[in-house]
Amino acid sequence: MASVDRLYALYNVIADAKDKAGEHDKEFAEILTGVKGGTGERRLTSQFIARFFQYFPPHQEQALNALLDLCEDDEMAIRKQAIKDLPTICRGHTELVPKVADILAQLLQMEDQAELAVVQSSLVSILKTDAKGTLTGLFYQIEHSEDELVRERCIRFLHTKVRSLGSQVFSADVENLILTEAKKVLQAASSEDEFTLVMGILRELKTCQTVKGYQQLVDLVAEQVDLTRTLEPSDLESVHRLTSCFKQALPYFSSQVRSTLFVEYMWREVVPALDHLEAAVPDGPSNASLILDLLKIIAELVPHAGNLEDIGGKVVAIFDKLLEVMPLPPEGDAATEALEGGVSLEFSRVECLLFTFHQLAKHNPEFLAEDADRLKDFRIRLQYFARVSQAYQKRLREALTNKTGEELKTEENKIKLIALKTTANINILIKDLFHQPPSYKASIALSWKPASAAGKAMTNGAEKRHTPITFDSNIQKSQKGERQIYAPPRDKYSQRAGQYSGGNFRGRGRGRGRGFAYGSNRGGGIFRSGFRGRRGNFRPY
């Protein structure tokens, strides 16, 4: 076992030999014994292995194993040194990159942030040396590791680096490799986080930022959901999985990438099951907005659908759901008392359902136009809802007037801004439906989707007021002095509106997430049973 002084002497012999360094086989073999020495010896051994690795092919396997021992050392400084040195041995030896990437991927389990940063830096280094080889090692861990933390951190690392390194590292061939491997990961993913992160990686690829790429991403989601499978409403885990998958597809639908199959699935499996889901969903943060999430998804899917089957049946189904949340007004004095005292109305659901109905009914205008009784009943409900909505809007405007930009960023005011947008959207759609015959020309931006100037109009309290809607077909503008001001309704406006819940699947693992057993190494180290297959022959990639 070489001492520090002996290691320096051996280093000088090999370094002085220059081009003939490979002739000093015995000296390099003696350097390798330093891995069993003290702190100084071990650190020098790591540095000298990296320095002379290329000159001694017969000792490369032994040298790599020595570095692996040092990567599991009890001393953090030595571990960090060995991790830094791993990429050096890959220069000129790209055949080692998949193996080294596999090792570094396992080291992403580090809890110390400084040490974790060294691992990530080394991964970036070998990515720049050989991107395909590095990805082979990373995806091996993503697909086969039993450690959830390793899988998650590998995916997060890729997600970050695909975005930051761009075409500098990720060429078209490399992106195709990522797409191929990511498809395998998605097929096995049983965690919402894993699925979302992998889709996030694909979203960053230039290959996927085209109409053809968008269609590929939509197809991947369709495969994950399996649009031929029957949905079991009592299986809430499956329903949560469905919502998570559909959300990943929503950004890619357009006039060129149609949502037709997704819409058909929602009407076949989800819309008929909404009442059952309403009863089955228990109280809790991950389930509270499940129904609203589904209604939002439906609203976003419908505008991009192509030719739908049985459009009349779909209009009837969504109209019936809409009537459930748009009640008839109370009669007589009770109507005034209800408005002045506040009423409970579900504005968020009404926005989703009314928008969906508006989008579908324009393809079946006779549904309202040719049924006078239905239209009359519907307009009574619309008028009542509009009056309550306008009263609520007034109170929201008063609460937001003269707020500064910083004040509008508070969670409470963000909710009020979304609520204001929700009620404004509802009134726009109602006004359109009050035309004779009902019109379907109005266009709105759904309240939960990001808007660049969400709160600017309210800074000076100058938002445009909507004309009150009355049942009389000859709508007259009311004078300000004649408008009755109602107390704000105690609505059921969801505080989660405007954003989908990030509910998890029940358990992130794939049924194999037991992780590595905590094993002992020299002196009782911190690592989980070491690296798989790190001894002997390299794992074939």
Side-chain angles (χ1 to χ4, degrees), residues 245-479:
C245 290
F246 272 42
K247 291 172 196 175
Q248 294 303 313
L250 289 176
Y252 309 114
F253 292 119
S254 67
S255 60
Q256 295 172 294
V257 181
R258 291 298 189 180
S259 60
T260 311
L261 293 177
F262 289 77
V263 172
E264 294 290 0
Y265 181 85
M266 294 298 277
W267 254 264
R268 185 175 68 251
E269 301 294 337
V270 176
V271 173
L274 287 175
D275 288 340
H276 181 90
L277 281 169
E278 190 83 60
V281 171
D283 293 334
S286 64
N287 295 320
S289 63
L290 179 59
I291 304 299
L292 182 59
D293 277 359
L294 290 170
L295 295 179
K296 288 179 178 179
I297 290 170
I298 291 171
E300 290 193 56
L301 287 173
V302 167
H304 306 298
N307 295 323
L308 295 171
E309 299 176 4
D310 188 21
I311 190 71
K314 289 179 172 59
V315 171
V316 170
I318 209 69
F319 184 75
D320 289 343
K321 295 298 177 186
L322 181 57
L323 294 187
E324 292 176 9
V325 290
M326 295 193 77
L328 288 166
E331 296 181 358
D333 294 338
T336 302
E337 293 174 3
L339 287 170
E340 291 178 346
V343 290
S344 180
L345 296 175
E346 299 180 87
F347 291 102
S348 297
R349 293 195 185 189
V350 169
E351 180 190 11
C352 297
L353 291 166
L354 191 59
F355 177 80
T356 303
F357 172 77
H358 189 270
Q359 289 289 314
L360 288 175
K362 66 183 176 183
H363 301 294
N364 187 29
E366 61 274 13
F367 176 76
L368 287 178
E370 296 181 0
D371 191 325
D373 290 338
R374 175 186 288 155
L375 179 58
K376 180 179 179 180
D377 175 82
F378 189 40
R379 282 184 166 169
I380 291 173
R381 297 169 187 264
L382 292 174
Q383 180 186 9
Y384 173 63
F385 205 92
R387 292 172 65 194
V388 175
S389 177
Q390 288 161 3
Y392 185 36
Q393 276 186 289
K394 182 180 184 298
R395 292 302 295 264
L396 287 170
R397 284 194 293 267
E398 291 173 352
L400 294 170
T401 297
N402 297 323
K403 296 290 185 184
T404 65
E406 286 301 313
E407 288 174 329
L408 290 174
K409 292 179 182 178
T410 65
E411 192 63 29
E412 180 182 357
N413 285 330
K414 284 180 180 179
I415 292 170
K416 289 178 180 177
L417 285 169
I418 297 172
L420 188 60
K421 181 63 175 175
T422 298
T423 51
N425 283 343
I426 290 171
N427 280 334
I428 291 171
L429 295 174
I430 289 176
K431 191 172 182 178
D432 211 29
L433 292 170
F434 260 84
H435 282 84
Q436 285 287 10
S439 173
Y440 303 97
K441 296 179 181 179
S443 178
I444 63 170
L446 293 167
S447 63
W448 60 89
K449 301 187 76 173
S452 59
K456 290 182 180 178
M458 289 313 306
T459 305
N460 58 10
E463 180 180 317
K464 181 180 178 181
R465 297 173 180 267
H466 294 282
T467 302
I469 299 172
T470 63
F471 182 62
D472 186 354
S473 59
N474 296 316
I475 300 175
Q476 300 293 329
K477 292 185 178 180
S478 299
Q479 298 298 320

Side-chain angles (χ1 to χ4, degrees), residues 115-174:
E115 200 168 355
L116 181 60
V118 175
V119 176
Q120 293 172 335
S121 177
S122 291
L123 277 170
V124 170
S125 180
I126 62 172
L127 259 177
K128 294 177 178 179
T129 299
D130 178 16
K132 285 188 174 181
T134 305
L135 291 169
T136 299
L138 283 169
F139 273 109
Y140 185 88
Q141 282 299 315
I142 293 172
E143 294 172 30
H144 298 95
S145 177
E146 296 184 353
D147 191 316
E148 292 182 16
L149 182 62
V150 169
R151 292 200 308 273
E152 179 185 337
R153 288 187 174 176
C154 284
I155 297 171
R156 288 189 183 277
F157 172 82
L158 278 179
H159 183 266
T160 302
K161 298 311 171 186
V162 168
R163 175 179 297 178
S164 62
L165 297 177
S167 57
Q168 173 188 353
V169 170
F170 298 98
S171 63
D173 286 345
V174 174

Side-chain angles (χ1 to χ4, degrees), residues 67-84 86 102-123 147-154 516 518 521 525-528 530-531:
L67 276 180
L68 298 187
D69 280 339
L70 296 175
C71 286
E72 294 183 275
D73 199 275
D74 294 338
E75 297 286 337
M76 180 186 294
I78 295 175
R79 292 199 302 270
K80 290 168 71 173
Q81 183 64 57
I83 292 166
K84 287 180 181 178
L86 277 175
D102 186 335
I103 294 163
L104 291 171
Q106 294 178 62
L107 289 172
L108 288 172
Q109 67 183 266
M110 300 286 190
E111 293 302 332
D112 181 84
Q113 292 303 306
E115 200 168 355
L116 181 60
V118 175
V119 176
Q120 293 172 335
S121 177
S122 291
L123 277 170
D147 191 316
E148 292 182 16
L149 182 62
V150 169
R151 292 200 308 273
E152 179 185 337
R153 288 187 174 176
C154 284
F516 292 120
Y518 282 86
N521 47 36
I526 64 170
F527 284 90
R528 309 178 189 182
F531 307 112

